[in-house]
């Protein structure tokens, strides 16, 4: 195949997708029209899925969900940053407006984001970072931990490479505190689980907000459960990490 033919094929791939969509929609409208939600009905998803962008993870398939069952927020390595308006607004809309009561943070095996963070954590710090640690880390340890100075440091850059580094910085900090085995597969597995736990810790910090803002239709304070799962796209199974936390209601 010539370069021209090859580039035409790649460009035309998008039309293949649109054709496939047409076939799919026609078939379902004829055979199972109730698959499509009635716009008159409000959505009431039972689950907010916070997962990784990885194309091999399909939350609807994995949970056998129909349209309307799962509210979704996905990004690189399923992060939930407390300064991320995208994540915060999805969370607020799900629990306050839509009445979603189960939030699942879902990591997945072989997560490229988690592996990248692990590599970064194992990289010896640069002279610049050492200097930064020397001046800030010793005296402002807690501030560094809370506000992630590295992220603020590079905030003005719109270089996508910087964005990924900034995005994974809290996870890299967490990994540096872990005692990981040398064996790569086991270390990655631990990082993936620890990553899920880290995001849950952040969501738990929204407990006060949930208590003050989220009510059941009858006015009682609502309870929101946050669960930690790991999905294995090679087998389709979800593993429950049994780290469920309870927010709002009568909880602390
Ligand atoms: Zn991933």
């Amino acid at each position: 195949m010539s370069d021209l033919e090859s580039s035409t094929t790649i460009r035309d791939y998008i039309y293949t997708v649109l054709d496939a969509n047409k076939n799919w929609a026609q078939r379902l409208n004829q055979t199972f029209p109730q698959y499509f939600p009635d716009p008159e009905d409000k959505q009431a998803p039972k689950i907010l899925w916070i997962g990784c962008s990885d194309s091999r993870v399909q939350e609807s398939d994995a949970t056998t969900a129909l349209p309307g069952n799962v509210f979704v927020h996905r990004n690189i390595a399923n992060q939930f940053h407390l300064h991320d308006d995208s994540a915060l607004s999805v969370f607020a809309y799900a629990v306050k407006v839509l009445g979603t009561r189960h939030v699942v943070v879902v990591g997945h095996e072989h997560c490229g984001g988690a592996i990248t963070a692990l590599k970064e954590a194992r990289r010896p710090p640069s002279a610049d970072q050492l200097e930064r640690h020397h001046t800030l880390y010793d005296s402002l340890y807690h501030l560094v931990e809370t506000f992630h100075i590295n992220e603020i440091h590079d905030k003005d850059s719109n270089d996508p490479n910087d964005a990924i580094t900034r995005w994974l910085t809290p996870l890299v900090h967490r990994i540096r505190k872990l005692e990981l085995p040398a064996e790569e597969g086991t270390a990655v597995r631990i990082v993936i689980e620890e990553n899920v736990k880290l995001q849950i810790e952040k969501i738990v910090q929204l407990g006060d907000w949930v208590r003050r803002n989220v009510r059941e239709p009858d006015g009682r304070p609502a309870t929101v459960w946050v669960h930690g799962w790991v999905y294995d796209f090679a087998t389709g199974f979800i593993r429950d990490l049994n780290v469920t936390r309870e927010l709002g209601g009568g909880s602390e």
Side-chain angles (χ1 to χ4, degrees):
M1 192 183 282
S2 73
D3 281 355
L4 183 63
E5 279 170 326
S6 149
S7 87
T8 306
T9 309
I10 292 166
R11 195 192 61 204
D12 288 351
Y13 173 72
I14 211 72
Y15 298 110
T16 313
V17 173
L18 290 172
D19 280 346
N21 164 264
K22 197 181 287 172
N23 292 335
W24 169 80
Q26 278 170 348
R27 196 175 59 246
L28 267 179
N29 275 295
Q30 284 162 5
T31 58
F32 184 33
Q34 57 275 36
Y35 172 85
F36 298 107
D38 183 342
E40 298 297 314
D41 295 337
K42 274 181 64 180
Q43 62 167 323
K46 301 284 186 218
I47 285 178
L48 165 58
W49 173 289
I50 299 173
C52 181
S53 298
D54 193 302
S55 64
R56 297 162 293 187
V57 179
Q58 303 265 8
E59 69 283 331
S60 295
D61 287 348
T63 58
T64 66
L66 289 169
N69 292 162
V70 184
F71 204 60
V72 178
H73 181 72
R74 291 173 63 171
N75 57 46
I76 298 286
N78 45 276
Q79 301 295 286
F80 193 96
H81 297 324
L82 290 171
H83 54 72
D84 174 9
D85 283 346
S86 177
L88 288 175
S89 53
V90 167
F91 179 85
Y93 192 66
V95 303
K96 190 175 175 180
V97 180
L98 301 179
T100 306
R101 295 293 173 257
H102 292 280
V103 178
V104 290
V105 178
V106 190
H108 68 97
E109 310 288 4
H110 316 285
C111 179
I115 292 166
T116 301
L118 175 59
K119 281 191 184 136
E120 177 65 21
R122 281 177 166 164
R123 203 165 53 87
S126 65
D128 176 49
Q129 281 171 321
L130 279 175
E131 174 71 16
R132 226 185 288 162
H133 275 225
H134 217 68
T135 51
L136 292 168
Y137 214 83
D138 298 340
S139 54
L140 297 172
Y141 177 80
H142 292 294
L143 267 181
V144 174
E145 287 303 290
T146 311
F147 296 112
H148 306 299
I149 290 293
N150 284 356
E151 294 173 66
I152 293 166
H153 191 80
D154 296 318
K155 203 114 204 159
D156 291 336
S157 163
N158 60 2
D159 179 336
N161 290 324
D162 290 345
I164 292 170
T165 306
R166 206 161 48 223
W167 186 247
L168 294 173
T169 295
L171 178 56
V172 172
H173 282 310
R174 171 62 67 99
I175 296 170
R176 286 194 179 127
K177 290 182 190 159
L178 300 174
E179 283 188 27
L180 291 171
E183 202 275 309
E184 184 71 5
T186 313
V188 168
R189 204 153 221 255
I190 292 170
V191 166
I192 286 163
E193 290 187 8
E194 196 66 23
N195 181 31
V196 170
K197 292 175 192 167
L198 174 62
Q199 311 318 316
I200 291 176
E201 286 168 24
K202 292 187 207 170
I203 296 171
V204 165
Q205 292 181 47
L206 300 173
D208 271 347
W209 180 88
V210 170
R211 202 170 300 119
R212 282 185 278 110
N213 288 277
V214 186
R215 293 273 179 280
E216 297 300 352
D218 64 7
R220 281 180 303 121
T223 301
V224 174
W225 289 271
V226 188
H227 314 272
W229 295 351
V230 173
Y231 176 68
D232 185 354
F233 61 69
T235 63
F237 284 103
I238 291 171
R239 188 156 46 88
D240 186 355
L241 298 181
N242 295 311
V243 290
T244 297
R245 300 284 299 268
E246 198 177 311
L247 307 187
S251 67
E252 286 305 310

